[in-house]
Amino acid sequence: MRKKTKILIIEDDLVNRQLLIAILEEFDVEIFEALNGLIGVQLANEINPNLILLDINMPTIDGFETIAKIRENTSLKSIPIIACTASSNKINDEKINSIFDAKINKPYTLECINKTIRRFIPDFGNGE
């Protein structure tokens, strides 16, 4: 029996977090959630997820600082981290594209999440 894919959601907004969880619950994955970047870094180190969905604009530490702290752990360097953002501008997009593995724009859609995650977990959504 195969281990479930572990997905860590780091998102401070309750509604956005619940929406991601509702979408991901349709698949056979293990979902972990963190309310901010500091908790997310700690949780990533503890669970070693297969994929991280990371909000950019958060209090305490933002998504850019969070990804930097996660990448400090050599065992987490190869984990795909997908930026989740509602703000899109040329400077922000260039920074995201240079640091993150992919980007999902808010508001979330099942199709976009499924397509983006499949780039990193090819059998995602195929009855894992």
Side-chain angles (χ1 to χ4, degrees), residues 65-91:
E65 191 173 346
T66 302
I67 192 173
K69 289 184 178 296
I70 290 170
R71 296 287 191 223
E72 287 174 4
N73 181 338
T74 54
S75 67
L76 302 178
K77 280 188 185 264
S78 64
I79 294 172
I81 301 179
I82 299 171
C84 300
T85 184
S87 59
S88 187
N89 61 55
K90 186 176 180 181
I91 294 170

Side-chain angles (χ1 to χ4, degrees), residues 18-29 31 33 124:
Q18 288 176 331
L19 181 57
L20 280 173
I21 291 168
I23 290 171
L24 294 172
E25 282 178 339
E26 296 294 316
F27 307 102
D28 190 23
V29 296
I31 302 166
E33 56 184 300
F124 178 79

Side-chain angles (χ1 to χ4, degrees), residues 6-8 43-45 47-53 67 70-71 73-82 99-102 120-121:
K6 293 187 280 187
I7 297 179
L8 172 59
L43 199 51
N45 286 315
I47 66 167
N48 194 17
N50 301 96
L51 184 119
I52 297 172
L53 297 171
I67 192 173
I70 290 170
R71 296 287 191 223
N73 181 338
T74 54
S75 67
L76 302 178
K77 280 188 185 264
S78 64
I79 294 172
I81 301 179
I82 299 171
I99 298 171
F100 287 82
D101 298 292
F120 307 101
I121 304 171

